[in-house]
């Protein structure tokens, strides 16, 4: 006999104004099952999960937990019923220790149960989750992957039997993804139900027992076990869209566009120090940067773009000493930058999409005291079309966009003016499979048109696919250099985690 569902939702409808964000006939999670939720950007995956977690109230529908109909009106209700969710943006408090973060979250304040007992339960569970950090450390000092495990730990100690993970691998490098999947396998073995959202098909085929594919708010289909394959998933998601290939480099690279000469940065709170870092990037070349995030990627981008002045060393752009240039001057010289955290650095959530699109290039669209909106919109439509993205929702506030749709806005804006140097930090993060292919194809086209591109990514397959050369960034230094004939996951991966060192 198959055991009953841990969580079951039927007839879920959710509208945001005129938009039908969810119209889900049936969705269920059984004990010991990993359900992947897949679907194009804006399909309604996060919305469905937020409904299950009591973050949104559905307009219609029923949710049953272990067979009983329940009214889930808040995350508090959901947690009481054993439903836990880890959001993309964690809700940890960076200055508090691991132990304090967990204690704060639990429904019983620590003094109502014995701290010793709680500590023991916590360390047992931490061991199972392969969370090996010292619980006395402030959470802000942990790697993203460990912070994520603290979040999971928190939910499990709080009594979750169903764990919902919204794009948990978005910011993880391959070795960290492996660690997370080990944790998930462990939990599945213990009878937990896991729901996880991802855009990476490889992860689905690897770890899901069942996949529900969403399309325009509905569940377009479900695939189970042996039937799960990339073509089957793509077919359900996009109706069998063909993969968009990135053309290989045509000619030899041209002049040196960017040169960093022995750059060292000052120590700063929460930043990685770049140490004696030198690199050159030519026109018509894509330089891939591999590494576990937090090893100096953001600082490298900041030095190139200008907000971070090096303590020593020289930055040259097109042969000119640009060490002292401001961000504005650097941008005007033809440098585009795709930040790693669009909400924190690339977009303002209270503004509309249209207003966000004018940010950073306002001068070009100035019209007396206002802006020439039609001209801006024409330029952005053209840019979105080059990226093969669907039309942008200009009047939406950025705050209500889905994760991938917000990323599309930032990409459309940054790539609108044929930049000559593109600094792209994790540009395909959050994009659906088709969006990621188009973005890579566009970078290939920009290369052909003579742009120099620095591509930072955690996804080795992506880097191998389009880079002409690759460096590994580790602890603020270049740990290794690779040419395409040496692109291999094991070799590059070993340098990323510090298991290998340059001879
Ligand atoms: N609070 C809100 N107000 C208005 N519209 C919203 C709100 N939340 C989500 N939406 C809209 O609902 C749709 C579904 O969004 P959702 O975040 O569920 O998509 P998703 O499948 O998670 O996409 P992604 O893969 O990009 O994360 C989107 O069009 C989004 O703009
Ligand atoms: Mg989402």
């Amino acid at each position: 006999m198959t055991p009953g569902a841990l969580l079951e939702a039927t007839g879920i409808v959710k509208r945001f104004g005129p938009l039908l964000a969810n119209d889900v006939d049936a969705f269920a999670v059984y004990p010991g099952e990993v359900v992947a939720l897949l679907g194009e950007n804006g399909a309604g995956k996060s919305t469905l999960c937020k409904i299950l977690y009591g973050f949104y109230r559905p307009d219609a529908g029923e949710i049953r937990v272990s067979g009983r109909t329940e009214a889930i009106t808040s995350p508090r209700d959901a947690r009481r019923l054993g439903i836990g969710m880890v959001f993309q943006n964690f809700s940890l408090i960076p200055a508090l220790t691991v132990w304090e973060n967990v204690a704060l979250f639990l429904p019983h304040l620590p003094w109502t149960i014995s701290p010793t007992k709680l500590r023991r339960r916590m360390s047992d569970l931490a061991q199972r989750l392969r969370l090996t950090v010292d619980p006395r450390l402030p959470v802000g000092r942990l790697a993203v992957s460990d912070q994520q495990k603290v979040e999971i730990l928190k939910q499990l100690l709080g009594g979750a039997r169903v764990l919902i993970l919204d794009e948990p691998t978005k910011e993880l490098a391959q070795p960290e993804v492996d660690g997370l999947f080990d944790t998930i396998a462990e939990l599945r073995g213990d009878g937990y139900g896991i729901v996880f959202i991802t855009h990476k098909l490889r992860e689905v085929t690897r770890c899901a027992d069942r996949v529900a594919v969403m399309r325009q708010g509905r569940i377009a289909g479900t695939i189970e076990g042996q039937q799960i394959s990339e073509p089957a998933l793509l077919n359900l998601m996009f109706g069998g869209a063909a993969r968009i290939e990135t053309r290989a480099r045509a000619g030899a690279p041209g002049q040196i566009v960017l040169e960093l000469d022995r750059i060292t940065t000052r120590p700063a709170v929460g930043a990685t120090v770049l140490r004696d870092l030198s690199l050159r990037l030519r026109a018509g070349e894509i330089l891939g940067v591999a590494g576990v995030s937090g090893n100096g990627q953001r600082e490298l981008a900041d030095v190139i773009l200008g907000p971070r002045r090096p303590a020593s060393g020289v930055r040259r752009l097109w042969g000119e000493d640009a060490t002292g240039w401001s961000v504005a001057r650097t941008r005007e010289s033809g440098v585009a930058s795709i930040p790693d955290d669009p909400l924190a650095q690339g977009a303002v959530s209270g503004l509309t999409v249209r207003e966000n699109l004018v940010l950073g290039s306002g001068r070009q669209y100035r019209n007396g005291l206002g802006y020439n909106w039609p001209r801006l919109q024409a330029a952005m439509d053209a840019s979105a079309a080059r990226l093969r993205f669907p039309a942008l929702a200009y009047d939406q506030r950025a705050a209500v966009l889905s994760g991938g749709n917000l990323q599309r806005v930032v990409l459309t804006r940054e790539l609108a003016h044929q930049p000559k140097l593109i600094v792209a930090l994790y540009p395909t993060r959050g994009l659906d499979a088709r969006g990621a292919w188009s973005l890579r194809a566009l970078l290939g086209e920009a290369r052909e048109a003579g742009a120099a591109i620095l591509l930072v990514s955690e996804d080795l397959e992506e880097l191998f696919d389009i880079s002409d050369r690759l460096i590994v960034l580790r602890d603020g230094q270049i740990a290794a250099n690779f040419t395409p004939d040496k692109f291999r996951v094991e070799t590059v991966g070993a340098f990323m985690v510090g298991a290998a060192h340059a001879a």
Side-chain angles (χ1 to χ4, degrees):
M1 197 187 85
T2 43
L6 287 171
L7 179 65
E8 239 179 321
T10 45
I12 299 288
V13 175
K14 178 70 184 171
R15 290 179 198 279
F16 294 112
L19 178 87
L20 182 61
N22 268 184
D23 183 5
V24 172
D25 288 338
F27 180 78
V29 194
Y30 288 83
E33 185 187 44
V34 179
V35 185
L37 206 48
L38 195 71
E40 56 190 337
N41 292 131
K45 304 176 296 292
S46 297
T47 303
L48 177 60
C49 291
K50 286 176 183 168
I51 288 173
L52 298 175
Y53 189 56
F55 194 81
Y56 288 146
R57 295 288 305 268
D59 302 327
E62 190 177 88
I63 298 175
R64 284 187 297 281
V65 181
S66 302
R68 277 184 46 177
T69 303
E70 302 279 0
I72 301 178
T73 59
S74 69
R76 207 189 156 94
D77 286 344
R79 289 200 292 265
R80 185 174 46 77
L81 293 164
I83 303 163
M85 177 161 172
V86 177
F87 289 87
Q88 185 59 56
N89 306 318
F90 307 140
S91 50
L92 299 171
I93 303 165
L96 297 185
T97 65
V98 172
W99 161 247
E100 288 163 336
N101 265 285
V102 172
L104 257 185
F105 177 79
L106 296 179
H108 314 285
L109 290 172
W111 53 82
T112 65
I113 58 171
S114 125
T116 335
K117 215 167 129 192
L118 189 59
R119 259 179 228 265
R120 188 160 338 109
R121 266 178 63 198
M122 189 176 133
S123 69
D124 285 351
L125 202 52
Q127 219 163 21
R128 306 280 305 277
L129 299 181
R130 297 171 170 81
L131 177 68
T132 51
V133 298
D134 181 349
R136 290 164 303 186
L137 275 180
V139 156
R141 299 251 307 269
L142 308 184
V144 182
S145 55
D146 285 332
Q147 293 190 15
Q148 191 168 51
K149 286 185 180 171
V150 174
E151 281 278 359
I152 296 176
L153 181 74
K154 224 172 78 171
Q155 299 288 343
L156 297 181
L157 282 173
R161 296 298 299 166
V162 175
L163 195 60
I164 303 171
L165 306 167
D166 193 349
E167 296 191 44
T169 58
K170 187 162 139 183
E171 296 180 12
L172 303 187
Q174 195 54 52
E176 300 173 301
V177 173
D178 295 342
L180 176 70
F181 283 3
D182 287 345
T183 298
I184 289 179
E186 187 92 3
L187 295 175
R188 172 216 260 150
D190 285 352
Y192 289 94
I194 316 280
V195 179
F196 90 99
I197 301 181
T198 184
H199 286 297
K200 296 182 185 149
L201 304 178
R202 221 171 344 126
E203 296 177 356
V204 176
T205 50
R206 196 174 136 196
C207 123
D209 299 305
R210 199 152 53 85
V211 193
V213 177
M214 290 192 74
R215 211 168 163 180
Q216 296 179 347
R218 298 188 170 83
I219 294 192
T222 304
I223 311 184
E224 272 180 62
Q226 298 300 313
Q227 308 303 317
I228 301 173
S229 70
E230 289 200 14
L233 296 171
L234 287 172
N235 196 34
L236 266 181
M237 263 200 299
F238 306 116
R243 199 183 177 102
I244 305 158
E245 298 294 342
T246 306
R247 271 199 301 260
R249 184 169 77 189
Q255 65 162 150
I256 296 173
V257 169
L258 166 73
E259 185 176 7
L260 297 181
D261 189 11
R262 311 200 60 179
I263 295 282
T264 295
T265 56
R266 289 184 189 83
V269 180
T272 303
V273 174
L274 300 179
R275 288 177 293 157
D276 206 22
L277 188 147
S278 298
L279 63 81
R280 283 173 168 191
L281 179 56
R282 292 173 179 275
E285 182 180 50
I286 299 179
L287 173 61
V289 180
V292 174
S293 75
N295 275 282
Q297 289 89 340
R298 185 181 280 182
E299 293 75 11
L300 175 61
D302 283 351
V303 163
I304 298 173
L305 196 69
R308 190 178 294 273
R309 294 270 165 87
S312 63
V314 180
R315 159 175 77 139
R316 287 190 198 88
L317 286 169
W318 293 278
E320 210 178 317
D321 186 341
T323 319
W325 287 10
S326 67
V327 176
R329 175 151 183 218
T330 308
R331 284 180 74 93
E332 274 160 25
S333 74
V335 181
S337 141
I338 295 153
D340 58 347
D341 184 351
L343 256 193
Q345 301 178 303
V348 181
S349 63
L351 296 182
T352 62
V353 167
R354 182 178 288 105
E355 289 159 344
N356 268 289
L357 286 167
V358 89
L359 294 179
S361 41
R363 284 241 297 254
Q364 298 178 53
Y365 301 105
R366 229 357 108 58
N367 183 6
L369 291 176
Y371 292 108
N372 185 340
W373 295 111
R375 202 155 67 77
L376 171 87
Q377 193 157 326
M380 295 303 157
D381 280 344
S383 176
R386 277 196 299 276
L387 279 157
R388 301 173 178 85
F389 290 162
L392 301 171
Y394 287 101
D395 297 310
Q396 289 258 29
R397 269 185 318 120
V400 306
L401 293 183
S402 76
N405 285 341
L406 181 69
Q407 181 71 359
R408 283 175 176 167
V409 169
V410 172
L411 291 168
T412 302
R413 181 187 67 206
E414 290 301 321
L415 299 174
H417 303 109
Q418 278 83 34
K420 292 183 281 180
L421 169 60
I422 302 171
V423 180
L425 292 190
Y426 317 100
T428 58
R429 257 188 197 170
L431 295 183
D432 60 32
R434 195 159 50 173
W437 295 334
S438 347
L439 189 265
R440 290 197 281 265
L442 184 100
L443 292 180
E445 284 154 25
R447 164 175 60 191
E448 214 159 279
I453 299 160
L454 187 91
L455 172 66
V456 177
S457 176
E458 275 141 350
D459 186 341
L460 288 180
E461 212 167 279
E462 170 169 284
L463 288 170
F464 293 174
D465 197 24
I466 70 169
S467 305
D468 302 307
R469 284 188 296 130
L470 194 67
I471 57 174
V472 176
L473 208 54
R474 185 166 161 78
D475 208 8
Q477 290 181 303
I478 295 178
N481 272 283
F482 295 95
T483 46
D485 55 311
K486 303 271 167 34
F487 288 177
R488 261 183 296 281
V489 173
E490 311 78 59
T491 336
V492 178
F495 279 95
M496 284 167 63
V497 297
H501 298 278

